[in-house]
Amino acid sequence: MLILFLPLFLILLLIGLPVFFATLLAPGAMLVWEGMDRDLPLLFRNIYNGIDSFPLMAIPFFMLAGELMNQGGITLRLVHFSQSFIGHVRGGLAHVNIMSSMLFAGLSGSAVADTSAIGSMLIPAMEKNGYKRKFAAAITAASSVIGPIIPPSGIMIIYAYTMEISVAALFAAGLVPGVLMGGALMAVTAIMAKKYDFPVASEKHTWRQRAGSTRKAILPLLTPVIILGGILGGIFTPTEASAVAVGYALVLSVWVMRTVKVSELPAIFTRSAKASAVVLLLVGSAITFKTVVSLSHAAESLAFWVLSISEVPYILLFMINIMLFIIGMFLDAGPAIIILGPILAPIFIELGVDPVHFAMIMSVNLTVGLATPPMGLVLFVASSVSGERVESIAKAILPFLAVEIAVIFLITFVPEVSLTVPKWLGLVK
Amino acid sequence: ADYNLRAVANSNENDEDYDGLVVFKDFVESRSNGRIAVDLYIGTQLCANGTECLQALEDGSVDIYISTSGGAANMYPYVQVLDLPYVLRDDRVAETVFQGDFTREMRDAILEDSDERVRLMTIGNTGGWRNFANTEKTIQEPDDMEGMKIRTIVADLPQELVKAMGASPTPIPWPELFTSFQTGVVEGSKNGITDVMGMKFPEAGLKHMTLDGHAYMAALWYMNNEVFMDMPEDLRRVVVDGFDALQQATFASPKRKSIQAYQDFAEAGGELYVPTLEEKEQFREAAAPVYTWFQENIEDGEKWYNLLASEAEEAEEAIEAQYEQDLM
Amino acid sequence: MNAYLFILTGLRKLNTGLIRIGHSIAWICVALMVASILLQVVFRYVFNNALPWPEEAARALMIWMMALVAAGAYRQGSFVAIEMLHDFIPRAAARLLRLFLHVCALVVLYYLFTLGLEYFQRGFRTRAASFDLPRAWIYLAMPVCFGTMLLVNIEMLMKDVGLLLFKGFASRLPEGEDSHPTPVVSE
Ligand code: NA
Ligand code: NA
């Protein structure tokens, strides 16, 4: 029974084998067990083939752009910009944290980058301002999942790559859900701020001061305009846009703002190469895993099983959301998308769900999974940035997670949330 | 079954390749009395493109595979001879050529280049003919394409052709092409009508098509040679006959499918232009650098060009001879 | 134990050296990747002429970039795993489990490495589509990637075995670069 590679995979994962090795060992072992040795080379081939991709190249580029921006003290300018507008309200720094995350999301495609950039700056500041450290870490983690929802987004590049749909359409679709997620987090923060009497951060800034902070932040804030405008305006493909973003970030940080020295570039490039290498290998191994899913006909069995429960899209979507949320607790968004996307998406597309809409449901759900225990990457990073234990952040994040789940269901049951912008741009019919 | 064959096509179930495979599967399974079973893997489940899948075929993880000439160009550069523009006049000529010794010659070359691992079984069609289509204007002659950005795959020959027409070849991944038309990253492409309609390109503005028919969309069908040769002769015969049936099916399928596709194209506001004989000659002349490029840059290019040209000429003569009888 | 420590220390130094070399080439790959894609954009707009090679060249550079830093990332502990179980079981059992997991990874890496070498050799039969280079030189990145990861894996494995076999092994272990696992996975 080749299909036993699925439980074997889960066991290996749960006893602590890194995802990369588990996605290769479980199918490999079952193929040998079944005497299907001739299929082993397919596993290896597909790691290489999975990685050798032009669309995927946007991931290292967006990572590098984010890294350059963060190094360039640009995060600081975004935080000051946010603070000059909302720092004076009750819970000011909490709001600033969320708003900065949303702005940073336009520069970076990664939740982890968001957490470490905003967290290392705002968690100490929030603590000094009188917040509990675990609360500061929790709100950083919760809001950083907006990073891959507002474009650019590594997760959506991976989704578009595995499901062969347009990156541009997904980027456009992520705008409203991302802003919605930020708005919802701010709303719950406002309620908490009143209840627990959160501190304000600063005096109300004058419009003159605001103009000053805007002037300082305007160049980095133009990045998303260049990326999205370039892609949606037909100047370049998403991968080219990501390279342009790197070029812009380089010019900005090295020559215009002079926040990065040329001599620092090799180290920055190497760091982003490392982070990309891990993601690329994960993508490669997940593509391999997907191959064995095909060989074992697991997709068909699962589709049959799912459709035997119900054929009403909304009931199924509700269930799938719960399933994805649980999976997101254990698996990173990227591998989860590559493994599950090709199984789940066709079922729902067949039932009449728009492919871009389903992409958003899946991506947003699994992105939120990055901030859930026990396997929440973002939680780990928030913990290492703040020095607070993962467990206590995990507890403090619960109210925010509840809001994010509500937004997931909103995205699920109101397709217009995702589809209005891409429809308006003509990217979705 | 004694023999389980795993057949892969990277397209989808609406494609001509799938029609061919369905015919093949049915033929081979029934004529072998169930001794051969064929499993179809449609799409990119096992491998995603020509180079990958041909390597998987060499490894023995795939038994049967179909690639376009572009898909095999990295491995066997001379297959691009099939992409040479305006060599094959029409379906009848092309079909005669590919049923003849041309395919056998190519089989020998590929066997040799793959250490006897990859066996070309037959050459069929996967989508009719390639035509130039664009979002801007009616193209009547090559000059109309001056400066236009035309999408091609990452392969030399199609890029040379686009350059020869005075246009600018631009590689765009297939899934991004719709958006790229819409936003103007590229203004045109060279595809068959069924692919154009399959991707709903007219909705992205691709509304002007010129039936220049610059390339026959040849489909090369391969089988793992070891798997083939390990079969007893009677089963090899069944497989060979199966591929013959498949070839016929893929010759017929695009003709049938394109009727609806052209109707849909017109309904979507598409405009079709059929170049006059004189204009077609202009296209052929403009394409001359491609022939030169092929012969100079591809190993044995001259041999393959001459072979295809002479086979085409022979086929034309044979068809002329048949006209003499059929028209009288 | 001395001989064992000697070998382990040697392997450590070797790995550190290889990783350092890898890093110093990888960043150049990244720079060239960016440059070639930017060149592609510039040529298309400024000269209205699309270059055929940047896309494929950038892909090859990306694969080499990955191959050259993978071992370093692996040693840092960047390949994420669920490590809950380790906290719940006795320390001795956790050590055995660690050893077992490293053996699992060893099997995978060894297999990937040998197959990678085979494909490298066969790669001389295919050429890149848009420039004149046997694809073998691109495929070579994979055995380099998995070979260097394999060496790191053996280093970690030897450390595990040493901890199981010898008393006081931990105290005599030289300070390594893998002592602070940091997740760098970004999504
Ligand atoms: Na983003
Ligand atoms: Na998680």
Side-chain angles (χ1 to χ4, degrees):
Chain A
M1 281 300 283
L2 183 56
I3 206 160
L4 288 179
F5 78 94
L6 287 173
L8 180 61
F9 169 68
L10 273 182
I11 292 170
L12 289 174
L13 215 57
L14 287 174
I15 63 170
L17 192 65
V19 184
F20 172 74
F21 297 112
T23 35
L24 294 169
L25 187 59
M30 283 317 292
L31 284 175
V32 173
W33 180 262
E34 291 288 308
M36 296 168 73
D37 299 42
R38 70 163 187 165
D39 291 321
L40 283 177
L42 212 53
L43 299 190
F44 176 86
R45 286 250 183 255
N46 281 324
I47 302 178
Y48 174 87
N49 296 333
I51 298 166
D52 185 12
S53 143
F54 188 63
L56 219 49
M57 199 183 297
I59 293 179
F61 284 161
F62 280 131
M63 262 179 198
L64 177 56
E67 184 89 39
L68 280 167
M69 291 283 187
N70 187 25
Q71 282 297 310
I74 283 163
T75 320
L76 188 67
R77 297 179 189 221
L78 296 183
V79 169
H80 283 163
F81 172 77
S82 307
Q83 194 164 350
S84 73
F85 282 88
I86 49 169
H88 60 279
V89 301
R90 186 143 301 282
L93 278 185
H95 286 293
V96 168
N97 191 321
I98 299 167
M99 184 171 164
S100 305
S101 266
M102 290 166 70
L103 297 176
F104 195 78
L107 314 180
S108 133
S110 138
V112 169
D114 198 317
T115 310
S116 63
I118 311 269
S120 53
M121 195 163 301
L122 275 179
I123 294 173
M126 285 176 77
E127 217 182 338
K128 217 185 257 168
N129 196 218
Y131 294 84
K132 285 208 181 84
R133 199 202 291 173
K134 63 182 177 189
F135 175 84
I139 197 161
T140 305
S143 61
S144 70
V145 303
I146 300 170
I149 302 176
I150 290 182
S153 158
I155 284 167
M156 290 190 198
I157 292 166
I158 291 176
Y159 191 101
Y161 170 58
T162 19
M163 249 65 85
E164 295 182 344
I165 58 177
S166 160
V167 176
L170 288 193
F171 276 12
L175 274 172
V176 175
V179 174
L180 207 62
M181 196 67 99
L185 288 177
M186 283 185 157
V188 80
T189 303
I191 295 169
M192 289 170 90
K194 210 165 178 191
K195 194 167 162 200
Y196 301 115
D197 198 26
F198 283 169
V200 295
S202 53
E203 298 280 294
K204 191 170 180 174
H205 284 218
T206 62
W207 281 103
R208 199 189 162 86
Q209 286 170 308
R210 285 174 182 173
S213 70
T214 308
R215 204 162 37 240
K216 280 194 155 173
I218 190 78
L219 285 175
L221 283 177
L222 277 177
T223 318
V225 179
I226 294 171
I227 296 172
L228 282 186
I231 296 173
L232 303 177
I235 302 168
F236 23 68
T237 61
T239 306
E240 289 169 350
S242 64
V244 170
V246 172
Y248 183 69
L250 262 178
V251 170
L252 222 57
S253 54
V254 178
W255 290 284
V256 179
M257 299 185 163
R258 292 169 196 260
T259 40
V260 171
K261 290 197 215 65
V262 176
S263 60
E264 291 169 325
L265 288 179
I268 296 174
F269 280 32
T270 309
R271 213 167 29 242
S272 76
K274 258 189 189 168
S276 320
V278 176
V279 177
L280 289 174
L281 280 171
L282 272 179
V283 170
S285 67
I287 295 269
T288 292
F289 196 82
K290 184 183 129 183
T291 308
V292 185
V293 169
S294 301
L295 283 177
S296 66
H297 301 284
E300 290 93 321
S301 324
L302 199 80
F304 183 78
W305 179 73
V306 167
L307 290 176
S308 72
I309 299 172
S310 164
E311 287 191 10
V312 184
Y314 284 127
I315 295 177
L316 286 179
L317 281 176
F318 182 83
M319 287 166 32
I320 284 296
N321 261 327
I322 292 168
M323 190 190 93
L324 285 176
F325 194 80
I326 294 169
I327 287 169
M329 290 177 172
F330 295 96
L331 212 53
D332 285 337
I337 281 171
I338 298 168
I339 292 165
L340 291 171
I343 301 179
L344 296 178
I347 302 176
F348 287 92
I349 293 168
E350 189 70 21
L351 290 172
V353 177
D354 188 279
V356 172
H357 179 210
F358 189 74
M360 291 313 296
I361 296 173
M362 209 167 160
S363 311
V364 173
N365 195 323
L366 290 168
T367 303
V368 170
L370 293 172
T372 59
M375 254 291 268
L377 262 184
V378 158
L379 287 183
F380 293 146
V381 178
S383 159
S384 80
V385 172
S386 64
E388 187 69 55
R389 284 163 44 92
V390 172
E391 289 78 9
S392 49
I393 303 176
K395 255 180 226 145
I397 206 174
L398 288 177
F400 299 113
L401 278 182
V403 180
E404 291 181 345
I405 292 169
V407 175
I408 292 174
F409 279 108
L410 187 66
I411 292 170
T412 305
F413 295 118
V414 188
E416 287 76 17
V417 171
S418 321
L419 295 180
T420 304
V421 176
K423 264 190 184 149
W424 176 61
L425 291 165
L427 299 171
V428 167
K429 286 144 253 169
Chain B
D2 303 342
Y3 297 91
N4 278 297
L5 299 182
R6 188 180 285 168
V8 171
N10 292 144
S11 40
N12 55 53
E13 298 191 354
N14 298 318
D15 198 273
E16 293 80 1
D17 305 341
Y18 183 67
D19 294 342
L21 277 175
V22 169
V23 170
F24 177 80
K25 177 181 162 76
D26 176 72
F27 185 98
V28 168
E29 287 183 347
S30 61
R31 300 307 196 281
S32 70
N33 275 321
R35 286 163 68 201
I36 302 177
V38 183
D39 288 323
L40 306 185
Y41 290 88
I42 308 301
T44 56
Q45 309 171 54
L46 300 190
C47 51
N49 62 46
T51 312
E52 293 173 16
C53 294
L54 282 166
Q55 286 172 345
L57 191 104
E58 286 187 0
D59 295 343
S61 2
V62 168
D63 301 312
I64 293 168
Y65 177 64
I66 177 255
S67 86
T68 58
S69 46
N74 286 354
M75 311 279 287
Y76 320 113
Y78 44 85
V79 298
Q80 295 184 80
V81 70
L82 298 166
D83 281 336
L84 283 180
Y86 314 116
V87 178
L88 300 167
R89 186 180 68 193
D90 54 24
D91 279 320
R92 231 180 134 177
V93 172
E95 288 166 14
T96 312
V97 170
F98 295 138
Q99 291 179 82
D101 283 339
F102 177 85
T103 307
R104 294 189 182 90
E105 286 268 340
M106 194 163 265
R107 174 202 301 157
D108 290 343
I110 291 176
L111 268 173
E112 199 187 320
D113 282 352
S114 64
D115 283 338
E116 305 287 313
R117 291 190 219 221
V118 177
R119 185 182 184 91
L120 179 65
M121 301 304 289
T122 189
I123 300 180
N125 184 285
T126 175
W129 294 75
R130 287 185 188 279
N131 295 303
F132 287 117
N134 76 94
T135 56
E136 303 291 300
K137 61 180 179 188
T138 312
I139 295 171
Q140 299 188 341
E141 46 183 54
D143 283 352
D144 294 333
M145 291 175 67
E146 187 70 44
M148 218 176 239
K149 291 195 284 288
I150 305 283
R151 182 263 178 182
T152 67
I153 55 168
V154 185
D156 290 318
L157 199 137
Q159 297 187 340
E160 289 298 324
L161 173 62
V162 168
K163 273 189 225 160
M165 298 292 149
S168 170
T170 309
I172 300 280
W174 186 245
E176 289 302 327
L177 191 48
F178 184 93
T179 318
S180 301
F181 284 135
Q182 189 138 43
T183 55
V185 173
V186 288
E187 291 136 1
S189 76
K190 46 201 286 325
N191 290 109
I193 183 71
T194 49
D195 286 337
V196 167
M197 293 317 296
M199 294 291 280
K200 299 188 174 146
F201 285 152
E203 291 177 29
L206 194 78
K207 292 198 170 160
H208 309 276
M209 185 179 285
T210 302
L211 292 186
D212 69 308
H214 57 262
Y216 187 75
M217 294 186 63
L220 297 104
W221 291 84
Y222 319 86
M223 188 165 166
N224 179 296
N225 190 45
E226 204 183 328
V227 171
F228 178 76
M229 293 308 288
D230 278 352
M231 290 180 170
E233 199 184 317
D234 61 322
L235 288 188
R236 292 209 293 270
R237 186 183 296 264
V238 171
V239 169
V240 165
D241 287 346
F243 275 109
D244 187 71
L246 172 152
Q247 184 188 41
Q248 293 305 321
T250 67
F251 283 160
S253 171
K255 298 184 187 112
R256 176 72 183 83
K257 283 198 160 89
S258 61
I259 299 172
Q260 185 66 43
Y262 278 118
Q263 276 172 13
D264 293 345
F265 182 67
E267 261 167 45
E271 171 232 25
L272 221 49
Y273 180 76
V274 185
T276 63
L277 278 179
E278 196 186 57
E279 284 160 351
K280 191 124 191 229
E281 194 49 40
Q282 286 183 28
F283 277 106
R284 187 200 297 269
E285 275 167 25
V290 184
Y291 303 130
T292 320
W293 177 88
F294 181 79
Q295 296 182 35
E296 282 174 0
N297 289 278
I298 302 295
E299 213 182 315
D300 292 335
E302 206 172 330
K303 172 194 138 186
W304 286 104
Y305 171 71
N306 291 335
L307 180 67
L308 186 67
S310 70
E311 292 278 316
E313 203 175 314
E314 245 175 64
E316 281 171 31
E317 277 165 19
I319 292 165
E320 286 310 318
Q322 288 168 13
Y323 278 141
E324 304 231 326
Q325 298 177 29
D326 296 344
L327 298 178
M328 296 308 143
Chain C
M1 174 154 93
N2 281 336
Y4 191 87
L5 263 176
F6 182 75
I7 299 172
L8 179 55
T9 314
L11 183 59
R12 251 192 188 179
K13 279 185 183 145
L14 173 70
N15 282 338
T16 307
L18 287 176
I19 289 169
R20 206 165 283 161
I21 295 170
H23 285 187
S24 59
I25 310 175
W27 79 268
I28 301 174
C29 291
V30 178
L32 291 175
M33 255 167 87
V34 179
S36 53
I37 298 299
L38 288 179
L39 203 68
Q40 179 176 338
V41 177
V42 168
F43 261 75
R44 194 166 70 230
Y45 283 101
V46 182
F47 305 105
N48 201 23
N49 175 19
L51 295 171
W53 55 265
E55 168 178 339
E56 202 182 7
R59 272 190 285 136
L61 288 164
M62 174 168 78
I63 287 172
W64 268 105
M65 164 207 92
M66 178 201 80
L68 292 166
V69 296
Y74 183 39
R75 202 195 223 182
Q76 270 185 358
S78 306
F79 284 77
V80 279
I82 305 179
E83 285 177 346
M84 283 187 307
L85 189 57
H86 295 259
D87 304 335
F88 289 112
I89 56 178
R91 199 149 155 215
R95 270 188 186 165
L96 274 175
L97 179 62
R98 252 179 78 90
L99 183 68
F100 172 73
L101 294 174
H102 279 143
V103 171
C104 285
L106 176 88
V107 172
V108 173
L109 287 171
Y110 176 76
Y111 178 75
L112 294 178
F113 173 63
T114 49
L115 215 57
L117 278 184
E118 191 195 319
Y119 289 142
F120 163 64
Q121 284 156 357
R122 278 165 60 184
F124 286 100
R125 290 214 322 268
T126 56
R127 308 192 79 77
S130 57
F131 43 86
D132 193 26
L133 186 81
R135 289 185 65 84
W137 300 115
I138 308 172
Y139 293 153
L140 180 62
M142 299 308 273
V144 166
C145 176
F146 298 125
T148 48
M149 281 175 76
L150 186 62
L151 286 174
V152 169
N153 174 277
I154 295 172
E155 176 192 317
M156 299 199 270
L157 202 61
M158 281 185 76
K159 205 173 111 189
D160 291 343
V161 173
L163 287 171
L164 279 173
L165 289 185
F166 308 114
K167 271 204 182 104
F169 186 76
S171 60
R172 293 195 50 191
L173 212 57
E175 216 18 65
E177 289 173 21
D178 56 336
S179 40
H180 304 287
T182 38
V184 297
V185 172
S186 310
E187 285 187 334

